[in-house]
Amino acid sequence: MAKTLLTHNLSLQIHTLRPSSILLHQCHRNSTHAGPTVHDLVRARNLPEAQSLLLRMIRKRGVSRPQLIDSLLPSSPSSTHTNATVLDLLIRTYVQSRKLREGSEAFRLLRQKGFSVSINASNALLGALVKVGWVDLAWTVYEDVVASGTTVNVYTLNIMVNALCKEARFDKVKVFLSQMEGKGVFPDVVTYNTLINAHSRQGNVAEAFELLNSMWGLGLKPGLYTYNAIVNGLCKKGDYVRARGVFDEMLGMGLSPDAATFNPLLVECCRKDDACEAENVFDEMLRYGVVPDLISFGSVIGVFSRNGLFDKALEYFGKMKGSGLVADTVIYTILIDGYCRNGNVAEALAMRNEMVEKGCFMDVVTYNTLLNGLCRGKMLGDADELFKEMVERGVFPDYYTLTTLIHGYCKDGNMSRALGLFETMTQRSLKPDVVTYNTLMDGFCKIGEMEKAKELWRDMVSRGILPNYVSFSILINGFCSLGLMGEAFRVWDEMIEKGVKPTLVTCNTVIKGHLRAGNVLKANDFFEKMILEGVSPDCITYNTLINGFVKEENFDRAFVLVNNMEEKGLLPDVITYNAILGGYCRQGRMREAEMVLRKMIDCGINPDKSTYTSLINGHVSLDNLKEAFRFHDEMLQRGFVPDDKF
């Protein structure tokens, strides 16, 4: 008897003290018994265990939502309060486990069965739906909340105002607020902050200020978040001066600025490339005791790097490290670009190594930046290796990657590799644009393969890509370089027909082409025609034509052009003088050549290596070695290294 009683008491103690994990395990195996257990746990105020069990029920396969809901509904009316808590906990569990569609379905099923969910749980679901951008579903749930007769509150109002703002449906806000006022719910500071922030982000600064004034009228005091939103909006609109005014107003109210206040001001200064003002804002930030973050440092490092103040950029990078911040991909990419801009590819690669060592991910922009630096430095082998590494690491090359490499190989004259990359581009469904085609056509024109250039032109047009003035200039230049003026003018005529106005560069190309073909008169006729068409010549135009007339030994016409040039306000340069001086030297007219030299020096133009080489060769051709050596010595004194072939 004593033994039986002892066994009964022990069993009772084990049942009473049994951990809920055993219950959970049993319920997990049989979902039909889970509902009552959840109710028991809620009555015992053991909500964490109740929620843990609900989570297992939600995740259990083979149990539909209607089955789950039915298992949780009360078996007797006496458990109404417990039931409300269980149903609220169910919706919250769906939200916390990020199963929002399932939670919305459960919410709808409960409504169909005549059960209401508390406004707090409803708000949790609404807020989560809006946060992930499922705004339409949020409005469906909201309509169910209102239809159920559940009393909404200001939190509901703010969630749904945020939903309207996310889709920029500002025209619906007033109607919604009016409806909420009819329910006795009025906007608060959060409502106005949400609206002001949304309008500011959309660039509706006037509306943001109107809302700010309304706040004062309703006795609502704007805070730091309010002013930060307006400062950000003004900076995005490019109105830095007015943003500073709002900043000063904020300070006058006794509000302390934070990084979110200063960063928009910094970003706007940097967008305008105002490095001086950016540094002032950064220093001001420190004076107010605000700790700069990665956005702050990234902005100033970027503006200094872009504006040729790379040492300053590195100085701020050092400060950033000293403050304990670890650079991100953006900052490392800025610095890599800075080194590449300065032609220091070795340091760019060292920075890249540091980036990888710090566990920073190299994205497609970082790779493109490095590839551009390597191609500029004609390090195409290294560029190829980096490209392979990029692909191996799962970073997909984009349009800029392949266009950069194509440009690098075209400049190097490796057109087969450039075409191979072009084919890779089309295979990857990366659409080449006019820049890609221009790059390839220019590469082929430079090596005289005009048929290949024309083939690319036809392919470009067939893809619906319209040639621009650069495209026309490239082909015209290619034909002119080979003296094929007929072909060049065929392209010229097409350019005019398409309504593309010829540029000065194109005109200079045609003049040079005529001279290469040995037709200085046609070059002169074209020169006069271009002026009539409103294209003003520059020093290159005059120098090209002057050189052409000098080669024809027509010095009179050459000097007419020099005078014409000066009348237009274009000062003859060393190339102008060298053309005339070289012409006299070739004719052995050394007296005239030295007169040109004196005039050149009197005009403040220093002779260069070409000047001295012409003078030396001129005197040597006349066996006047004494004068030749005099100019040879003068050349050395000026720091030029002569060829010593005379």
Side-chain angles (χ1 to χ4, degrees):
M1 176 71 179
K3 185 178 178 182
T4 304
L5 185 62
L6 180 64
T7 304
H8 174 74
N9 288 341
L10 185 60
S11 175
L12 185 65
Q13 286 175 34
I14 289 169
H15 177 76
T16 307
L17 297 172
R18 180 167 51 186
S20 57
S21 59
I22 299 172
L23 287 171
L24 292 175
H25 179 68
Q26 290 179 347
C27 293
H28 180 61
R29 292 176 63 185
N30 190 347
S31 62
T32 57
H33 299 301
T37 307
V38 172
H39 282 269
D40 290 343
L41 289 167
V42 168
R43 273 193 293 274
R45 295 183 181 179
N46 192 348
L47 296 185
E49 292 290 6
Q51 190 168 28
S52 180
L53 179 54
L54 281 170
L55 185 59
R56 288 194 181 203
M57 292 168 72
I58 287 167
R59 289 176 174 170
K60 184 171 173 60
R61 290 182 181 180
V63 179
S64 67
R65 256 167 294 290
Q67 286 176 316
L68 193 151
I69 297 292
D70 287 342
S71 74
L72 291 171
L73 294 180
S75 54
S76 64
S78 60
S79 58
T80 305
H81 173 70
T82 305
N83 188 59
T85 306
V86 169
L87 299 182
D88 276 14
L89 197 60
L90 174 67
I91 298 301
R92 288 180 184 278
T93 305
Y94 273 117
V95 171
Q96 287 172 20
S97 61
R98 298 179 184 176
K99 293 182 176 290
L100 301 181
R101 289 197 186 277
E102 295 90 333
S104 301
E105 188 186 335
F107 184 91
R108 182 178 53 79
L109 287 168
L110 288 169
R111 281 279 300 115
Q112 287 173 355
K113 291 178 180 290
F115 291 92
S116 296
V117 177
S118 75
I119 192 58
N120 290 341
S122 300
N123 284 346
L125 179 59
L126 287 169
L129 288 169
V130 172
K131 188 175 181 181
V132 297
W134 294 350
V135 173
D136 289 341
L137 187 53
W139 280 109
T140 303
V141 172
Y142 170 75
E143 285 160 11
D144 277 344
V145 171
V146 173
S148 71
T150 304
T151 304
V152 294
N153 58 25
V154 71
Y155 296 105
T156 322
L157 179 149
N158 286 334
I159 290 165
M160 300 320 293
V161 164
N162 188 32
L164 290 168
C165 289
K166 276 210 166 192
E167 297 194 330
R169 293 165 64 186
F170 299 116
D171 56 321
K172 304 285 184 186
V173 171
K174 283 186 181 179
V175 175
F176 178 72
L177 291 178
S178 178
Q179 290 171 353
M180 291 300 274
E181 284 175 15
K183 299 181 194 322
V185 182
F186 296 90
D188 62 2
V189 171
V190 175
T191 319
Y192 277 93
N193 281 349
T194 302
L195 287 166
I196 287 169
N197 185 48
H199 276 295
S200 296
R201 282 178 176 272
Q202 289 288 323
N204 308 327
V205 180
E207 289 84 346
F209 274 106
E210 194 177 313
L211 287 161
L212 180 65
N213 295 333
S214 299
M215 285 182 79
W216 290 111
L218 293 168
L220 299 171
K221 189 178 179 182
L224 180 62
Y225 183 90
T226 323
Y227 280 101
N228 282 355
I230 292 177
V231 167
N232 187 41
L234 287 167
C235 286
K236 280 193 170 183
K237 290 279 282 185
D239 197 344
Y240 180 77
V241 174
R242 199 173 178 195
R244 288 294 313 194
V246 172
F247 175 79
D248 293 338
E249 182 184 322
M250 185 184 88
L251 295 177
M253 287 180 60
L255 295 170
S256 299
D258 61 6
T261 319
F262 282 105
N263 281 344
L265 295 168
L266 261 177
V267 169
E268 178 55 17
C269 290
C270 296
R271 190 186 68 79
K272 290 180 174 176
D273 277 338
D274 191 342
C276 184
E277 182 62 17
E279 191 166 23
N280 289 339
V281 172
F282 192 92
D283 291 342
E284 188 177 8
M285 192 176 189
L286 297 176
R287 286 198 300 274
Y288 278 99
V290 177
V291 178
D293 58 15
L294 285 176
I295 294 172
S296 321
F297 277 108
S299 298
V300 291
I301 289 169
V303 76
F304 287 132
S305 181
R306 284 193 308 276
N307 287 277
L309 301 166
F310 194 59
D311 288 342
K312 200 87 171 170
L314 290 173
E315 180 190 325
Y316 273 83
F317 180 59
K319 287 179 181 179
M320 187 202 74
K321 282 180 168 179
S323 71
L325 288 171
V326 178
D328 60 5
T329 301
V330 173
I331 291 173
Y332 274 117
T333 303
I334 289 168
L335 291 169
I336 288 168
D337 181 55
Y339 278 121
C340 289
R341 280 169 184 261
N342 285 292
N344 197 340
V345 182
E347 285 296 333
L349 290 167
M351 186 61 72
R352 174 264 190 139
N353 292 341
E354 180 184 321
M355 176 183 184
V356 174
E357 284 167 13
K358 297 286 183 184
C360 213
F361 176 72
M362 282 179 69
D363 62 12
V364 68
V365 180
T366 318
Y367 276 107
N368 288 350
T369 305
L370 256 179
L371 284 169
N372 190 39
L374 290 167
C375 288
R376 278 184 178 180
K378 297 183 179 179
M379 300 168 67
L380 294 169
D382 293 307
D384 231 14
E385 287 301 314
L386 187 67
F387 178 66
K388 287 175 189 172
E389 177 198 300
M390 177 184 185
V391 175
E392 285 168 6
R393 292 194 176 185
V395 180
F396 292 102
D398 62 8
Y399 158 81
Y400 295 101
T401 317
L402 293 165
T403 301
T404 298
L405 287 167
I406 287 168
H407 186 257
Y409 281 108
C410 284
K411 280 188 77 177
D412 196 49
N414 189 344
M415 297 310 298
S416 59
R417 178 66 176 138
L419 270 182
L421 287 162
F422 178 72
E423 285 168 13
T424 302
M425 196 174 196
T426 52
Q427 286 164 8
R428 290 176 181 264
S429 299
L430 296 169
K431 292 181 180 179
D433 65 1
V434 69
V435 176
T436 319
Y437 277 103
N438 286 348
T439 304
L440 283 164
M441 287 190 298
D442 188 48
F444 280 113
C445 286
K446 279 179 177 171
I447 60 172
E449 290 194 28
M450 297 308 299
E451 283 305 315
K452 198 69 184 174
K454 286 197 290 183
E455 187 183 318
L456 282 161
W457 177 282
R458 288 191 291 270
D459 185 53
M460 175 175 72
V461 173
S462 71
R463 289 175 186 263
I465 300 168
L466 296 176
N468 60 14
Y469 75 93
V470 178
S471 318
F472 285 105
S473 295
I474 287 166
L475 274 191
I476 290 167
N477 183 52
F479 286 121
C480 287
S481 296
L482 297 172
L484 301 171
M485 298 311 295
E487 286 290 318
F489 274 105
R490 186 189 59 75
V491 179
W492 176 279
D493 292 340
E494 186 182 340
M495 178 175 74
I496 302 301
E497 188 184 308
K498 299 279 186 188
V500 178
K501 291 184 177 179
T503 64
L504 177 59
V505 173
T506 317
C507 291
N508 286 346
T509 298
V510 172
I511 290 170
K512 195 182 289 183
H514 277 307
L515 294 174
R516 278 208 177 108
N519 205 325
V520 70
L521 294 177
K522 281 192 176 180
N524 192 63
D525 289 343
F526 184 85
F527 170 75
E528 289 172 357
K529 185 183 174 184
M530 77 179 245
I531 293 170
L532 289 172
E533 293 291 333
V535 181
S536 299
D538 62 0
C539 283
I540 295 170
T541 323
Y542 279 106
N543 286 343
T544 305
L545 207 48
I546 287 164
N547 192 47
F549 278 110
V550 167
K551 282 183 177 179
E552 291 284 313
E553 298 183 0
N554 190 343
F555 287 92
D556 290 342
R557 180 58 185 157
F559 278 114
V560 167
L561 285 168
V562 171
N563 293 334
N564 190 351
M565 187 179 183
E566 289 174 330
E567 285 168 8
K568 297 277 186 184
L570 297 170
L571 296 176
D573 57 15
V574 68
I575 296 168
T576 322
Y577 284 106
N578 280 350
I580 297 169
L581 184 143
Y584 281 134
C585 289
R586 283 192 296 275
Q587 288 188 353
R589 296 166 65 180
M590 301 311 296
R591 186 179 168 201
E592 288 94 331
E594 290 188 32
M595 283 173 64
V596 172
L597 176 67
R598 282 194 292 274
K599 186 181 178 184
M600 179 181 182
I601 294 167
D602 290 343
C603 290
I605 296 167
N606 291 320
D608 63 6
K609 183 178 177 179
S610 179
T611 319
Y612 284 109
T613 302
S614 294
L615 288 164
I616 292 166
N617 287 337
H619 281 294
V620 168
S621 66
L622 297 174
D623 291 327
N624 194 349
L625 296 182
K626 183 179 178 184
E627 283 299 300
F629 276 111
R630 181 172 71 81
F631 282 113
H632 180 271
D633 294 342
E634 191 176 318
M635 185 180 189
L636 289 171
Q637 286 168 10
R638 287 184 178 268
F640 299 115
V641 180
D643 294 331
D644 281 341
K645 290 179 182 178
F646 58 85

